[in-house]
Amino acid sequence: MLVARRHTRTSTPWLLLLLYLLLPNAWATTLLNDTSTAQDLYETADFLLDANASLSLDQVRAADAAFTPANTRRDLSFGYISGVVWLRLNLQSNAERLLHWRLELNYASLDEVRLYDIGADGVRESRSGDTVPYAERAIGHRYPVFEIVLQPGEQRTLYLRADSLGSMTLSGMLMSERDFEQHSQNGYLAHAIYCGVLIALGLYNLLLFLALRERPFLNYVLFMVAFALAVLSLNGLGAQYLWPQAAPWSNRMLPVSLTMAALLSAVFARSFLGTRQWLPRWDRVLQVLCLASALAVVATLLLPVQRALQTMSATGLIVTLMLLITSFVCIGYRVPGARLFALAWLLLLSGAVALALRNFALVPSNFFTLYAMQIGSGLEMILLSFALAARFNAHKRQREAALQDSERTLEKRVTERTEALEQANQRLRQLALEDPLTGLANRNALQQQLDQALKRGLRSHAPVAVMLIDLDGFKSINDQYGHAFGDLVLAQVAQRLRQYLREMDLPARLGGDEFVAICEHLPSAADALQLAKRLLEGLDTPMYIESRSVRVGASIGIAMSHRADDVTSLIRRADAAMYQAKAEGRNRICLANAPTQGPGQPGSGLG
């Protein structure tokens, strides 16, 4: 009995295999067990094109012979086509326990996918797709996913009816429940990282815009928002998390958002590259491109979805190519940031071209072509952030340079104002210490300078000579020719005082026709008399003013300082000597006596 049972167990698999080989269409049946790996639909499914979308399930089952193995095509990407596509899979379990498998189509933009799971218990129907509300999907997932349950030894036939106005991409996998969970988690993790990078970059550049108020940062954030919506729609995450109940809108969200992203990318390029400043003619081309992109956005809202998707692909490709050419032109003109911009858009262009070619079924559908836009855009976003960061640093350096220039300008202005103020103060001091008519020192300056000269004389034990000069005959000139002419005579007298006195001597005007000269470093009274004589001779020389010849004389009183002298006493003694000179006949010099003889006493005279 035991031997018979062993024989039965040994022969059962062979009988199943023989039965499998003898069944009709047995070559298309996929055997599944506990250790089976994931099955690619390209290797296991057959397809049938229903151009008019008119076949029912019964008609399709009756037309089994019309199905074609999928591996006779390059892949299961049919591009933009009319009608629907049917896929058929024959499955059989050779496991000894219940099997739970998942059938996933890894393209979220399929409008509606219906699964007809046919077995001995009848037909199990379920549906999914981006036009199906999330709550009504067979399994809650961003992709169309269906549950396949197989009893031990059970054979089932799966019919998938795919209907989509977009690109008909039916690549997918049949995998065990455990493998699907791991595969799904990895996919969600990758998209979470991608979206996290977009959010971080968007917030970073938004903060930069709020801080700097520069339009390129805002345009970049708007571009990222539109592009993020397109990516969320493309990957099915938008329909799962953002608009789970807006099924009809979900079908149109991808072309609208991606075309809007193309428009905003052109706007961003104009502001970032500064084409209005650097390339005015090329900027007009970009303006036309922006206008055309705006019209394309409107078209994606109004056209049928399939035409809208085709418009999206064409617009994205054209805009990306034009911006890449623009960046190369800007590199030639040495526009700041153009190199990083060109590299960023080259990466995005590669992704856009790969996705567009896949959508038109011109290249195989695989991981790279399916996620080319995300890969290229992720790298592009990072590079553009680097470019904006470089722009921020350049802006910071410009602000610092401008601040330094402002500080230097302010410092220069402060210096100029200080110098002007100092000059004004000096001018005021000069006006306070200078006679406005003759330019000589006035009475205040005379007292200050004489006081300092006396102090220097005490330190050096050298006398200071003070000459008090009163003009002779000036009153008659003033009365005859007028005060204006008299002022010219006084100015001429002042000029002669400067001419005949030494450079170190200080001439001053007391007022009227009285002048004073402070003379230091005269060894003796004889030297003072000699200097006064030279001055008297110079003053006695005729003056030619306004075609008139006039002549004035002078009475000069000299006082030599001694220790007991101060400013007042010294001038008083010189004044007394001057009056003595006038009393002796004018136009002469008189030397005052020393203070021991009493101030104001007459001294020696010199005619």
Side-chain angles (χ1 to χ4, degrees):
M1 186 69 175
L2 181 61
V3 174
R5 287 181 179 177
R6 286 179 178 175
H7 178 73
T8 302
R9 290 178 181 176
T10 304
S11 60
T12 298
W14 293 101
L15 291 174
L16 290 174
L17 178 61
L18 180 61
L19 182 62
Y20 164 71
L21 294 174
L22 294 176
L23 285 173
N25 298 325
W27 56 272
T29 301
T30 301
L31 295 176
L32 301 176
N33 55 41
D34 294 335
T35 60
S36 296
T37 59
Q39 305 293 315
D40 192 335
L41 295 186
Y42 178 72
E43 300 293 340
T44 58
D46 306 324
F47 73 92
L48 173 66
L49 298 178
D50 181 8
N52 298 320
S54 59
L55 297 178
S56 64
L57 175 62
D58 293 336
Q59 291 173 327
V60 169
R61 294 178 67 183
D64 274 355
F67 276 86
T68 304
N71 55 16
T72 60
R73 290 176 51 86
R74 182 177 56 193
D75 54 31
L76 284 173
S77 177
F78 296 88
Y80 295 103
I81 62 172
S82 300
V84 301
V85 177
W86 290 81
L87 294 183
R88 182 189 63 190
L89 292 88
N90 290 321
L91 305 179
Q92 183 172 351
S93 171
N94 61 358
E96 297 182 355
R97 65 180 184 86
L98 186 68
L99 295 181
H100 290 272
W101 284 66
R102 295 287 187 269
L103 176 61
E104 176 192 77
L105 298 178
N106 54 16
Y107 188 57
S109 295
L110 294 171
D111 292 350
E112 183 186 47
V113 181
R114 290 182 178 270
L115 172 66
Y116 300 97
D117 184 358
I118 303 174
D121 56 351
V123 179
R124 305 171 187 169
E125 183 178 350
S126 55
R127 67 191 187 113
S128 187
D130 68 347
T131 61
V132 178
Y134 190 77
E136 299 178 14
R137 297 184 183 185
I139 291 180
H141 198 270
R142 58 193 180 92
Y143 288 151
V145 178
F146 302 93
E147 182 180 24
I148 309 299
V149 180
L150 292 173
Q151 298 288 340
E154 182 181 15
Q155 182 175 358
R156 304 191 71 86
T157 302
L158 309 181
Y159 289 93
L160 284 170
R161 182 183 185 276
D163 185 7
S164 183
L165 296 176
S167 178
M168 188 71 76
T169 300
L170 301 180
S171 57
M173 301 290 290
L174 179 66
M175 62 192 83
S176 66
E177 188 175 32
R178 181 183 59 186
D179 291 342
F180 172 77
E181 293 297 334
Q182 184 64 41
H183 164 76
S184 181
Q185 289 177 7
N186 292 338
Y188 276 104
L189 177 61
H191 287 295
I193 294 174
Y194 177 83
C195 293
V197 170
L198 290 188
I199 293 173
L201 293 177
L203 292 177
Y204 169 71
N205 287 281
L206 180 60
L207 291 176
L208 287 180
F209 166 72
L210 295 176
L212 302 177
R213 298 295 178 180
E214 284 205 0
R215 288 301 298 271
F217 294 100
L218 178 61
N219 292 336
Y220 179 67
V221 172
L222 294 176
F223 162 66
M224 289 188 65
V225 170
F227 194 84
L229 289 175
V231 171
L232 292 175
S233 177
L234 183 64
N235 294 329
L237 296 173
Q240 182 174 356
Y241 295 109
L242 299 182
W243 50 85
Q245 302 302 323
W249 170 247
S250 178
N251 198 27
R252 193 174 288 274
M253 185 64 183
L254 176 61
V256 172
S257 57
L258 197 55
T259 309
M260 178 65 72
L263 168 62
L264 292 173
S265 67
V267 174
F268 166 70
R270 288 187 62 218
S271 60
F272 178 81
L273 295 174
T275 53
R276 179 181 297 180
Q277 173 187 356
W278 294 91
L279 302 169
R281 293 183 179 179
W282 197 263
D283 184 70
R284 287 192 286 271
V285 175
L286 292 184
Q287 289 179 354
V288 174
L289 182 65
C290 290
L291 178 60
S293 300
L295 294 176
V297 172
V298 176
T300 57
L301 291 169
L302 302 178
L303 291 175
V305 174
Q306 189 174 51
R307 294 297 183 188
L309 289 167
Q310 293 172 348
T311 302
M312 169 203 75
S313 297
T315 303
L317 191 60
I318 293 172
V319 169
T320 306
L321 185 60
M322 283 297 298
L323 294 186
L324 184 62
I325 296 174
T326 301
S327 63
F328 287 147
V329 174
C330 290
I331 290 175
Y333 282 88
R334 300 184 181 276
V335 175
R339 293 182 182 275
L340 278 177
F341 187 89
L343 181 58
W345 283 98
L346 184 61
L347 293 172
L348 182 62
L349 176 63
S350 301
V353 169
L355 179 63
L357 294 178
R358 187 203 66 84
N359 288 344
F360 284 101
L362 299 177
V363 297
S365 179
N366 51 43
F367 176 83
F368 174 75
T369 57
L370 190 62
Y371 293 100
M373 182 65 77
Q374 290 93 314
I375 296 172
S377 64
L379 296 174
E380 181 249 3
M381 296 291 182
I382 294 173
L383 283 177
L384 285 182
S385 291
F386 283 145
L388 284 170
R391 181 186 179 90
F392 169 74
N393 291 330
H395 178 81
K396 182 179 179 181
R397 288 192 295 269
Q398 290 174 358
R399 290 186 62 186
E400 291 176 351
L403 181 60
Q404 292 176 357
D405 290 341
S406 298
E407 290 177 350
R408 285 193 293 267
T409 302
L410 180 60
E411 183 178 355
K412 182 179 179 181
R413 289 180 179 177
V414 170
T415 302
E416 291 175 351
R417 291 293 299 273
T418 303
E419 291 176 353
L421 184 60
E422 180 63 27
Q423 292 174 359
N425 290 334
Q426 185 176 358
R427 180 60 180 165
L428 289 175
R429 287 193 296 269
Q430 289 177 352
L431 292 175
L433 301 175
E434 184 180 282
D435 178 62
L437 177 61
T438 61
L440 300 179
N442 61 12
R443 185 182 295 270
N444 292 332
L446 173 65
Q447 290 185 350
Q448 293 178 13
Q449 294 297 326
L450 183 54
D451 182 64
Q452 294 175 8
L454 290 174
K455 292 177 180 178
R456 288 193 295 269
L458 287 175
R459 289 194 298 269
S460 62
H461 305 287
V464 177
V466 172
M467 300 180 186
L468 202 148
I469 307 157
D470 187 81
L471 300 181
D472 296 329
F474 174 75
K475 185 176 182 303
S476 60
I477 295 175
N478 202 40
D479 293 341
Q480 182 179 357
Y481 299 110
H483 293 288
F485 188 83
D487 290 343
L488 296 177
V489 172
L490 293 176
Q492 186 69 32
V493 170
Q495 183 177 352
R496 291 192 177 187
L497 288 176
R498 295 190 189 96
Q499 179 180 355
Y500 292 105
L501 288 173
R502 298 174 304 170
E503 186 175 353
M504 67 182 68
D505 299 332
L506 176 68
R509 183 187 178 204
L510 283 179
D513 59 351
E514 287 187 334
F515 297 87
V516 176
I518 301 174
C519 304
E520 299 182 68
H521 306 293
L522 290 173
S524 64
D527 295 312
L529 289 170
Q530 186 66 31
L531 179 60
K533 183 178 179 181
R534 187 178 72 173
L535 177 60
L536 185 62
E537 292 174 352
L539 291 175
D540 193 44
T541 304
M543 301 178 187
Y544 297 94
I545 302 173
E546 293 184 349
S547 302
R548 296 187 181 96
S549 175
V550 294
R551 188 171 185 173
V552 294
S555 298
I556 302 176
I558 302 174
M560 303 295 293
S561 68
H562 295 272
R563 286 186 175 275
D565 281 321
D566 57 14
V567 173
T568 303
S569 63
L570 189 60
I571 291 179
R572 185 181 295 122
R573 290 196 297 114
D575 185 61
M578 182 270 295
Y579 277 109
Q580 182 178 351
K582 280 188 175 292
E584 293 178 357
R586 301 176 183 271
N587 199 30
R588 63 184 59 239
I589 302 168
C590 183
L591 179 64
N593 294 326
T596 54
Q597 298 175 353
Q601 294 181 356
S604 60
L606 182 61

